[in-house]
Amino acid sequence: MSSSTKIGTFLLNDGTRIPRTGWGTGTALFKQDVTDVTALAIKSGLTHLDTAQAYCNEDSLASGIATSGVPRSSIYLLTKINELPEGKTIRDTIVESLQKLRIDTIDLFLIHSPLKFRGEGKKSLQAAWRALEEAKAEGLAKSIGVSNFMIEDLEDILETATVVPAVNQIEFHAYLLDATRELLEYNAKKGIVIEAYGGLSPLFRKTGGPLDYPPPFNIQATYAGGSATQGQILIKWLHAKGIVALTTTSKESRMKEIRATETLPDLTADEVKAIDKAGSGQHHRAYWKGILP
Ligand SMILES: NC(=O)c1ccc[n+]([C@@H]2O[C@H](COP(=O)([O-])OP(=O)(O)OC[C@H]3O[C@@H](n4cnc5c(N)ncnc54)[C@H](OP(=O)(O)O)[C@@H]3O)[C@@H](O)[C@H]2O)c1
């Protein structure tokens, strides 16, 4: 692995760039002290970091950044609001996040889910998005976006928006291709970049499917780019679609494996199609089950 190979970036609709591979502190790290594991991830070359107010680890993530010794300017940081605490405004919670993260401005701030902001229907959701637009105008966030937004949620905020979300962070992998086809097309039409979490689900959450290795699915053996793990191939598949891959691990070896994805050649069009074909007709959702399609 050459950690000197820069992580590729995708251009966002506000002119900023997002590193196409991120490392998250949800899942197993939810509500944990992530100081040491964050420092390890950064030292392994993973510098796009995902947290959320709901994960309750923004402060220890900041400690991890400090411990790593890597300058803040080399880190891409994002957090999200999931729920508005009683008596607080969205701006209050953004400022609290920035204080915990020990920064004045964040690279990307997201609404974690539309669900908690639909109190009085679409007007509440539109008001929440307006608060993010104001935070961006004030310089508290360089980019703003959403997470787990379906087409109707996006349509509602775009009715009154002055800023189009830069990113929509959603669960996405080959076994959600059919369920998200229209959503992906809609986001592409609006210039919203997709950031995918749960991208490694075919590897370990939904085993016995057509993307399992060893055969029937054998893309590792036929990958024109040479030797790669199945996880690396699934990340390359997301990149080929212009999708940011947000994954996680606590293990140094896997951090290095994820980082080393950057040194691998792109999948060929046929390899992308082979994974699309294997995923089509399958359905597996690990998060927001029963709520999202
Ligand atoms: N916006 C949202 O609503 C939302 C929802 C969920 C997640 N997220 C964010 O997205 C991040 C990533 O989410 P995710 O957990 O869904 O990512 P994922 O990439 O699908 O899964 C990561 C898990 O895969 C395991 N793993 C990695 N390589 C493996 C392999 N070769 N074989 C078997 N297991 C392997 C890791 O386990 P080890 O630790 O053992 O390596 C880790 O627990 C989260 O941390 C969070 O920041 C956001």
Side-chain angles (χ1 to χ4, degrees):
M1 195 270 305
S2 165
S3 59
S4 59
T5 310
K6 280 202 163 174
I7 294 191
T9 56
F10 293 136
L11 181 65
L12 300 182
N13 60 18
D14 57 14
T16 65
R17 302 195 77 92
I18 187 168
R20 65 185 179 179
T21 304
W23 175 82
T25 58
T27 330
L29 299 174
F30 186 72
K31 296 197 174 173
Q32 303 291 310
D33 183 323
V34 296
T35 307
D36 293 343
V37 73
T38 299
L40 190 63
I42 296 171
K43 284 180 190 156
S44 304
L46 298 171
T47 48
H48 165 175
L49 310 175
D50 175 271
T51 182
Q53 293 173 356
Y55 301 167
C56 302
N57 56 25
E58 290 169 313
D59 43 3
S60 59
L61 179 86
S63 302
I65 294 173
T67 308
S68 75
V70 170
R72 171 65 189 93
S73 55
S74 303
I75 307 275
Y76 188 93
L77 199 50
L78 82 95
T79 192
K80 338 177 183 78
I81 179 172
N82 188 34
E83 193 162 18
L84 199 52
E86 184 88 28
K88 295 213 167 146
T89 63
I90 289 186
R91 186 186 182 283
D92 292 338
T93 77
I94 296 178
V95 170
E96 277 174 23
S97 280
L98 296 183
Q99 283 165 352
K100 286 181 186 163
L101 291 164
R102 305 178 208 166
I103 49 179
D104 299 325
T105 180
I106 189 147
D107 295 291
L108 179 60
F109 192 89
L110 306 180
I111 296 179
H112 205 144
S113 153
L115 293 178
K116 296 278 171 62
F117 295 95
R118 277 203 174 276
E120 290 161 37
K122 72 176 172 185
K123 280 202 165 25
S124 315
L125 195 59
Q126 289 168 344
W129 182 248
R130 199 167 312 118
L132 261 69
E133 291 177 332
E134 286 164 6
K136 178 173 157 59
E138 201 188 328
L140 299 177
K142 291 179 191 161
S143 300
I144 52 174
V146 296
S147 177
N148 302 303
F149 270 48
M150 298 293 106
I151 292 176
E152 54 274 29
D153 304 313
L154 291 165
E155 281 174 343
D156 282 351
I157 60 167
L158 288 175
E159 254 180 45
T160 54
T162 56
V163 177
V164 176
V167 168
N168 189 7
Q169 186 184 106
I170 59 168
E171 181 177 356
F172 180 72
H173 49 77
Y175 297 162
L176 279 175
L177 260 179
D178 293 343
T180 57
R181 200 173 306 278
E182 284 171 24
L183 178 63
L184 261 54
E185 281 168 13
Y186 184 85
N187 280 270
K189 208 166 65 192
K190 298 292 175 191
I192 303 169
V193 165
I194 296 289
E195 176 163 36
Y197 63 84
L200 300 182
S201 282
L203 260 184
F204 71 101
R205 289 196 182 97
K206 178 68 181 153
T207 52
L211 280 171
D212 274 4
Y213 182 80
F217 193 75
N218 204 1
I219 195 143
Q220 266 177 292
T222 56
Y223 175 45
S227 164
T229 67
Q230 194 179 5
Q232 288 174 325
I233 285 171
L234 293 180
I235 291 173
K236 294 297 295 182
W237 177 76
L238 291 170
H239 290 169
K241 292 180 176 296
I243 292 177
V244 178
L246 174 60
T247 180
T248 191
T249 180
S250 303
K251 299 184 176 71
E252 188 176 7
S253 58
R254 280 201 185 134
M255 289 172 182
K256 290 186 169 158
E257 175 188 326
I258 294 163
R259 184 63 178 83
T261 305
E262 286 300 320
T263 63
L264 297 173
D266 292 342
L267 298 188
T268 63
D270 282 348
E271 287 165 345
V272 172
K273 269 193 219 145
I275 296 178
D276 288 357
K277 195 168 162 222
S280 297
Q282 302 292 317
H283 187 269
H284 177 79
R285 179 174 288 287
Y287 299 92
W288 307 91
K289 261 190 205 158
I291 297 171
L292 299 182

